[in-house]
Amino acid sequence: MATLRKPFQGVTNIVRFNWHFYVLALATVGVLFFLGFFFQNSFAWMAFAIAIVIAVVTLVSLSVSCYIYDFSGLYYFKWMNEFIPAEGNSIVNIHAGFDETSEILHQKFPQSKLTVLDFYNPEKHPEVSIKRARKDYPPYPGTQQITTTTIPLEDQSAYSVFLIFAAHEIRDPKERELFFKELRRIVSINGKVVVTEHLRDVPNFMAYTVGFFHFYSKASWKKLFKTSGFRVSSQFKCTPFISTFILEPNGTSS
């Protein structure tokens, strides 16, 4: 199955949507090298060292992102064959304003009913990168705008719910818990919720340094799942930097 993605689409989008960070990094490196050549003393070596560190960290993060999003086969979603029946079920894909997966899910499950929901709220989720992405990528046809606290679907109406690089954009812990309780309400008793995320762990620190604080730890995710009425039926690494949790309803919905 084709992934419907262009070569280097992942890393190109990262640079396009976060260009201000890379301009700042490039400018900082340039200024530090200029100062290093201008001052012929111990400060020069410090300036050179800092510039090299910034350049290396930036290149490493881009290289890792290129591996993850362009070369790892992440968007083939081969693991779904094991957890999600191929056809005939209701699928819900929920994203945070930038949707790279709905068309892929439609292609993978062409006989299933696909509902696409977008909880992006510029006041609650002010990421400038998402604003830029929304200008360049039109929404999937039929996408419904929702809030994180109210999902306009019937109780137990969805067999599979996908949250792929989306849930971490809900920064407020209480809002995130209410959102997952809504997921618990709409998923069928035998259904599954698929959560794919970077984690705040050692591999992501090595790749993104302080940027890994944008992610959440495995322990915090598991605590959220439990308090929202889910149990983790399976978890695995799609790459050393990407984790997927397969959730199932735990008991009766409250």
Side-chain angles (χ1 to χ4, degrees):
M1 184 192 75
T3 63
L4 305 176
R5 292 173 64 82
K6 300 176 182 178
F8 298 99
Q9 178 176 322
V11 72
T12 299
N13 282 343
I14 288 172
V15 174
R16 286 171 60 198
F17 304 149
N18 300 279
W19 58 263
H20 54 294
F21 289 124
Y22 298 103
V23 169
L24 178 60
L26 183 62
T28 302
V29 169
V31 169
L32 287 170
F33 269 105
F34 172 79
L35 293 175
F37 284 114
F38 185 78
F39 293 100
Q40 298 299 319
N41 52 34
S42 58
F43 174 80
W45 293 107
M46 183 182 297
F48 288 144
I50 295 173
I52 291 171
V53 168
I54 293 173
V56 168
V57 167
T58 302
L59 290 174
V60 166
S61 69
L62 287 174
S63 298
V64 170
S65 296
C66 188
Y67 158 69
I68 294 171
Y69 300 116
D70 296 310
F71 289 100
S72 72
L74 173 68
Y75 286 97
Y76 284 102
F77 296 134
K78 292 181 179 180
W79 49 266
M80 287 184 186
N81 299 329
E82 179 180 351
F83 298 102
I84 309 298
E87 300 295 353
N89 291 292
S90 175
I91 294 176
V92 178
N93 190 33
I94 306 178
H95 63 86
F98 180 39
D99 183 7
E100 291 190 287
T101 55
S102 290
E103 184 58 44
I104 297 173
L105 290 172
H106 172 68
Q107 185 186 72
K108 191 170 184 66
F109 306 114
Q111 301 304 316
S112 297
K113 177 186 176 182
L114 174 62
T115 300
V116 182
L117 307 176
D118 176 6
F119 65 70
Y120 173 71
N121 182 329
E123 295 182 358
K124 290 185 176 181
H125 318 122
E127 292 282 340
V128 66
S129 58
I130 297 179
K131 293 180 181 179
R132 292 169 180 163
R134 289 171 69 85
K135 291 181 180 179
D136 291 344
Y137 285 83
Y140 184 83
T143 297
Q144 302 176 48
Q145 198 71 35
I146 65 169
T147 66
T148 51
T149 55
T150 304
I151 300 177
L153 297 176
E154 297 292 331
D155 294 359
Q156 300 185 11
S157 60
Y159 183 81
S160 304
V161 180
F162 292 92
L163 283 160
I164 301 173
F165 304 122
H168 73 278
E169 296 294 353
I170 307 173
R171 308 308 296 177
D172 180 74
K174 185 61 179 177
E175 181 188 1
R176 199 160 54 247
E177 182 177 338
L178 291 173
F179 174 67
F180 270 84
K181 286 182 176 179
E182 271 291 273
L183 299 181
R184 175 64 183 84
R185 180 185 64 80
I186 68 169
V187 71
S188 66
I189 193 64
N190 297 316
K192 302 180 189 299
V193 174
V194 179
V195 180
T196 297
E197 289 284 353
H198 290 270
L199 296 181
R200 190 182 296 177
D201 57 12
V202 172
N204 281 292
F205 174 74
M206 298 298 293
Y208 301 110
T209 61
V210 296
F212 92 138
F213 284 109
H214 187 62
F215 313 132
Y216 298 111
S217 68
K218 181 190 291 186
S220 66
W221 281 119
K222 286 191 170 183
K223 180 180 178 181
L224 171 66
F225 301 151
K226 184 177 180 180
T227 57
S228 303
F230 290 102
R231 66 179 184 89
V232 180
S233 63
S234 183
Q235 63 183 75
F236 53 90
K237 290 278 191 180
C238 304
T239 77
F241 310 95
I242 303 296
S243 296
T244 289
F245 301 92
I246 308 297
L247 311 181
E248 295 180 350
N250 187 21
T252 58
S253 180
S254 58

